[in-house]
Amino acid sequence: MVQKKAIIFVDDNDKICALDQRGVELLTHSPYAAVHAFLDEAHTRGIDLKLPSNYRAVVTLGPGITKDKLVQACMRMRKLGKGQSVVVKSP
C-alpha cells in the first residue's frame, strides 16, 4: 500500500490547500490519507480541522509568543489528551 503525503496550509485567499510533489490543490480536491497541517498565527483562530484521534501537533515557539497564543494554538487539537498530543519545539 502506497501512502500519499502532503503538507496542508492556508493560502493568501484563506483556502485550505494541499501541497505535494505535483503542486498545490484545494484540500477538498485531494485524496490524502496522511497529512501535515501548517497553521500560522493569523490562521490559528477561526479554523477547525477535523483530525483523527491519533494525530500529534508540533507547536513552535518564537519571539513574542504569549501564553494565550500558545494555548490557542494547542487547542486546535480538539481531542488533546484523548489520543491527540502536542510537541513543543523551540529554536
Side-chain angles (χ1 to χ4, degrees), residues 13-75:
N13 298 316
D14 294 331
K15 302 286 184 191
I16 302 174
C17 299
L19 169 68
D20 67 5
Q21 291 108 354
R22 296 173 298 147
V24 176
E25 64 183 332
L26 291 176
L27 180 61
T28 55
H29 294 103
S30 68
Y32 296 102
V35 299
H36 295 92
F38 172 79
L39 300 175
D40 60 9
E41 184 180 339
H43 293 97
T44 300
R45 294 176 190 92
I47 194 165
D48 191 21
L49 294 173
K50 306 287 191 262
L51 302 171
S53 295
N54 62 339
Y55 269 37
R56 179 181 307 159
V58 176
V59 178
T60 56
L61 300 178
I65 187 82
T66 65
K67 176 187 65 122
D68 291 339
K69 288 180 182 178
L70 178 63
V71 171
Q72 178 74 26
C74 293
M75 292 312 295

